[in-house]
Amino acid sequence: MELIQRPRRLRRTDAVRRMCRETRMSPDSLIYPIFFDETLSGTRPIPSLPGQFHYGLDSVAQAVEDCLAHGVNHCILFGLPKGKDACGSSAWDEHGVVQEAIRAIKKAYPDFYVITDVCMCEYTDHGHCGILCGHEVDNDKTLEVLAKTALSHVEAGADMVAPSDMMDGRIAAIRETLDQHGHTMTPIMSYSAKYASAFYGPFRAAAGSAPSFGDRKGYQMDPHNSKEALKECALDVEEGADILMVKPALSYLDVIRQCADTFDLPLCAYSVSGEYAMIKAAAAADLVDEYRIMCESALSVFRAGANMLITYYAKELSDAIRKGDIG
Ligand code: PBG
């Protein structure tokens, strides 16, 4: 056989395969979600997310040390407040759960990079991502509380804020407020293309943030659409976002690719709770090899064009990258 082209030449050994990898990953591009519960002392396993924990404010060191031990240096914080009300006022409380967590982290670990999720759904008693007017979320009223919340996170020491509410104009509103208060150098990571997804189920159980009526389809994106994702990203670029995000990740790899090709900004993807929980459940049922599925899934997100990944597997992935199993 006179074959000239033999792609298998570059697949023969581990050494040549590693040299020819097109996708490179680094622990530096992984972001680990941490849930702080204001009412908790110590840690408590999260039933909907096997292997994940709620942390009390007295367990900041444990949460951070564990990340550092795995080479993970970036986190995104979520808060479970002790009290909720109609407008979610605990979200911007100077001494709220996230604000206190930020202060404690930054005091002991100034180099550990702290991003905060900015949204109202964990703080409102109705579980929607903003201020209600009747049964609808009032966009412009919500912008005010989002901006206040983002500012309170930054004043507590957050390195970056990440609004996940999907209101129109939130990046501009947050940017303006941060700038007015002198925080011109604090970047905003926008959950630009956030879909109304069933994959958030385990998170909502973990964060106690499921809406008490209706759904989030009036503000989160319709999974049928991808041009709309480009529109959302373009608006965020105009409004001053520093990083764009697509969420969820695995079912939206096409959206990640299109956003990566269209925009110059760094692109984050969020491998959400349902993606993690499905792998965990399949592995627990002995149906798949958890380690290899975890690696392959994360890899696919980077191959699709993401530059960074928020994932509940950040620590395990960091280990896998450091061992050379991926990346
Ligand atoms: C807050 C928020 C959610 C997630 C991140 N920020 C839930 C939602 O929009 O319902 C989901 C994360 C996950 O599922 O892992 N709005």
Side-chain angles (χ1 to χ4, degrees):
M1 189 65 172
E2 300 257 321
L3 272 181
I4 304 243
Q5 294 292 346
R6 289 188 185 270
R8 287 183 56 192
R9 286 180 200 126
L10 299 185
R11 294 186 206 131
R12 265 188 68 218
T13 64
D14 198 41
V16 76
R17 284 193 298 271
R18 280 169 182 246
M19 188 173 75
C20 295
R21 281 173 176 170
E22 294 176 41
T23 305
R24 298 284 175 187
M25 294 166 66
S26 154
D28 289 332
S29 44
L30 300 174
I31 302 163
Y32 183 65
I34 309 180
F35 296 87
F36 282 102
D37 181 341
E38 201 169 10
T39 65
L40 181 66
S41 170
T43 64
R44 180 181 57 216
I46 301 178
S48 62
L49 293 170
Q52 303 298 313
F53 294 85
H54 284 125
Y55 292 87
L57 286 168
D58 57 358
S59 303
V60 160
Q62 192 181 334
V64 178
E65 293 283 350
D66 198 29
C67 287
L68 297 176
H70 290 274
V72 173
N73 297 306
H74 307 83
C75 70
I76 182 160
L77 300 187
F78 296 94
L80 285 77
K82 60 176 187 278
K84 304 189 187 213
D85 60 24
C87 58
S89 57
S90 52
W92 65 85
D93 181 348
E94 189 190 337
H95 298 292
V97 56
V98 166
Q99 290 80 355
E100 291 299 331
I102 300 166
R103 276 189 203 98
I105 294 174
K106 280 294 165 184
K107 189 163 167 225
Y109 307 93
D111 296 332
F112 189 64
Y113 200 85
V114 176
I115 306 169
T116 59
D117 182 88
V118 175
C119 194
M120 307 312 293
C121 61
E122 291 126 73
Y123 305 90
T124 52
D125 50 16
H126 45 74
H128 277 285
C129 301
I131 307 285
L132 289 183
C133 184
H135 270 194
E136 272 193 47
V137 174
D138 184 305
N139 193 85
D140 300 14
K141 271 194 200 138
T142 301
L143 295 184
E144 287 168 36
V145 293
L146 288 169
K148 271 203 272 194
T149 301
L151 178 63
S152 75
H153 291 174
V154 173
E155 299 211 310
D159 294 298
M160 180 184 284
V161 289
S164 66
D165 52 282
M166 288 305 278
M167 297 303 124
D168 296 331
R170 71 222 211 265
I171 302 305
I174 292 171
R175 185 74 273 156
E176 189 186 333
T177 299
L178 294 184
D179 289 356
Q180 276 168 358
H181 290 81
H183 303 294
T184 53
M185 291 305 288
T186 304
I188 302 175
M189 175 194 270
S190 176
Y191 283 71
S192 308
K194 175 172 175 178
Y195 287 88
S197 170
F199 285 98
Y200 309 148
F203 172 97
R204 290 182 188 171
S209 66
S212 60
F213 66 89
D215 53 40
R216 303 209 202 288
K217 292 180 186 164
Y219 36 102
Q220 298 181 350
M221 281 180 53
D222 183 339
H224 295 81
N225 301 346
S226 60
K227 281 188 200 154
E228 192 185 3
L230 299 177
K231 173 165 127 188
E232 285 284 2
C233 286
L235 287 171
D236 286 350
V237 172
E238 255 173 54
E239 291 179 31
D242 299 280
I243 298 176
L244 305 174
M245 192 199 300
V246 174
K247 176 189 172 188
L250 265 198
S251 296
Y252 297 85
L253 295 177
D254 57 324
V255 180
I256 294 174
R257 170 47 63 199
Q258 290 181 65
C259 292
D261 287 345
T262 310
F263 301 98
D264 302 337
L265 265 52
L267 182 64
C268 183
Y270 196 145
S271 183
V272 300
S273 56
E275 301 178 45
Y276 173 84
M278 288 198 314
I279 298 177
K280 283 283 177 191
D286 242 346
L287 296 172
V288 296
D289 177 334
E290 179 180 7
Y291 183 75
R292 292 188 56 210
I293 295 268
M294 166 189 85
C295 289
E296 195 175 326
S297 310
L299 188 54
S300 70
V301 177
F302 285 95
R303 194 187 60 236
N307 307 108
M308 60 202 92
L309 177 65
I310 303 175
T311 169
Y312 301 94
Y313 274 127
K315 297 171 200 172
E316 293 83 354
L317 280 168
S318 179
D319 291 342
I321 295 167
R322 294 197 293 185
K323 271 171 61 191
D325 289 338
I326 41 168

